[in-house]
Amino acid sequence: MDEIINSYDLRNPEVAMPMSREKFYAEQVAAYTSKGVSTAAIEIIDVFLFNAEKELFIQKRSFQKAHNPGLLDKTVGGHVRHGDTPDFSVMVETVQELQTPSIVLKNQADFTKTLILLREYLDTVAVVMHMGTLLVPLKKVFPEGTMPIMNRVQLYFGIYNGRTRAADHEAKGVLHYTLPELEQEMGKFPAAFSDDLSFFLKEYKQQMVDFIESCAKVLREKK
C-alpha cells in the first residue's frame, strides 16, 4: 500500500500536506521533465551514525529501491509519514533499516546527559540528536533519469558502537568509513555515492568533525 507522506508546496513551505508518496514523485518527475522546476518538497530524515572509532556507517542501498538503487548513502534515510514526527520516524527507520534501536534528543544538553548515562550501552542502542531542518534540492536517480527533488530535510547525527544488520529489501549492507577515507573514495568513484551523502559531507563536514570530537570527549571522561 502506498504510504501517505508530508509534502510542502514551495509557495508555502512551512505547512505540511498529506500526499501519496507515489503521486508526489510522479508529479515532481513530470514537473522537472516538462518545465525544469520543482513545485513541492517532500519531508525526509537523513541520519548519520558514527562509532567510537570516528567511523561513519554507510548504507549500500538495495537495487530494488525506487530511486538511487545500489548507491552508497547516509546511514539511514526515510520519508516522514503524515501524522508522524521526524523523531519518531528516525526511531522507526533505524530499526527497520539496520535493526538498531535509537533514542532521539532535541538539544545538546539532553544529548550529552543521555550519552553519559548510556555510554556503557552504545553497543545496543544509538543515541541521536536532531541537528536542524533545511530545504535543499538533492539529485535522485530514477528509471526516467537523474533529476533534482526538493527535500525538507530533518538532519540527525548519532553515535552507536554495536553491530548492524541490513533488513531485507532495504539495504544490501553497511560499511564503515572515517571521513578522510570517505572523501578519498568519493574522489575516486563519485558515481557510486548518492547526492545526499555528497552534499552533506561537503556542506556539514566541520559539524560532523565537531560532533565526533564532542562525543569522543564524553566517552573518554571517567564516570
Side-chain angles (χ1 to χ4, degrees):
M1 184 175 67
D2 188 24
E3 64 182 344
I4 304 301
I5 49 80
N6 280 346
S7 67
Y8 295 81
D9 189 311
L10 294 181
R11 295 168 297 184
N12 190 13
E14 297 301 318
V15 179
M17 302 180 299
M19 181 178 282
S20 156
R21 175 178 168 178
E22 289 185 1
K23 181 180 179 181
F24 172 87
Y25 282 111
E27 287 186 357
Q28 294 310 299
V29 168
Y32 185 79
T33 301
S34 62
K35 300 180 181 179
V37 297
S38 297
T39 60
I42 192 167
E43 188 165 34
I44 64 170
I45 57 164
D46 275 3
V47 183
F48 294 81
L49 291 182
F50 301 87
N51 61 24
E53 283 70 47
K54 303 181 180 181
E55 296 172 322
L56 174 63
F57 293 81
I58 298 294
Q59 180 187 140
K60 183 172 177 62
R61 291 174 64 84
S62 166
F63 288 98
Q64 298 179 8
K65 287 288 192 177
H67 61 257
N68 291 346
L71 295 186
L72 296 168
D73 202 7
K74 65 267 176 186
T75 316
V76 173
H79 300 88
V80 179
R81 294 184 179 183
H82 191 68
D84 292 347
T85 66
D87 291 356
F88 176 83
S89 300
V90 169
M91 291 187 287
V92 170
E93 292 288 349
T94 58
V95 172
Q96 288 184 338
E97 294 197 9
L98 302 176
Q99 298 190 24
T100 298
S102 61
I103 296 175
V104 180
L105 290 312
K106 279 292 191 185
N107 58 63
Q108 185 65 57
D110 286 346
F111 176 83
T112 300
K113 182 168 60 176
T114 304
L115 183 57
I116 292 171
L117 181 66
L118 298 180
R119 58 186 169 185
E120 301 298 327
Y121 303 93
L122 292 177
D123 58 340
T124 59
V125 63
V127 181
V128 180
M129 183 168 68
H130 184 240
M131 303 299 294
T133 304
L134 65 155
L135 193 66
V136 59
L138 295 168
K139 293 179 182 178
K140 307 291 184 186
V141 179
F142 294 92
E144 299 88 346
T146 300
M147 60 195 72
I149 296 294
M150 191 63 71
N151 293 269
R152 191 173 195 263
V153 180
Q154 302 293 347
L155 180 62
Y156 295 83
F157 292 170
I159 184 163
Y160 176 62
N161 283 338
R163 297 180 179 180
T164 60
R165 186 171 60 178
D168 291 342
H169 309 305
E170 291 292 335
K172 295 295 290 183
V174 179
L175 304 174
H176 300 165
Y177 285 93
T178 65
L179 295 183
E181 289 171 344
L182 184 56
E183 287 181 314
Q184 185 177 36
E185 285 292 293
M186 294 177 84
K188 292 180 180 178
F189 311 106
F193 296 87
S194 72
D195 192 45
D196 297 51
L197 184 55
S198 299
F199 172 83
F200 283 106
L201 182 61
K202 178 181 178 181
E203 299 296 330
Y204 284 81
K205 179 183 175 182
Q206 189 57 54
Q207 288 93 323
M208 291 180 183
V209 170
D210 292 344
F211 177 82
I212 294 168
E213 293 301 328
S214 66
C215 290
K217 181 179 179 181
V218 171
L219 296 179
R220 286 195 302 266
E221 293 175 350
K222 295 181 179 179
K223 294 183 179 180

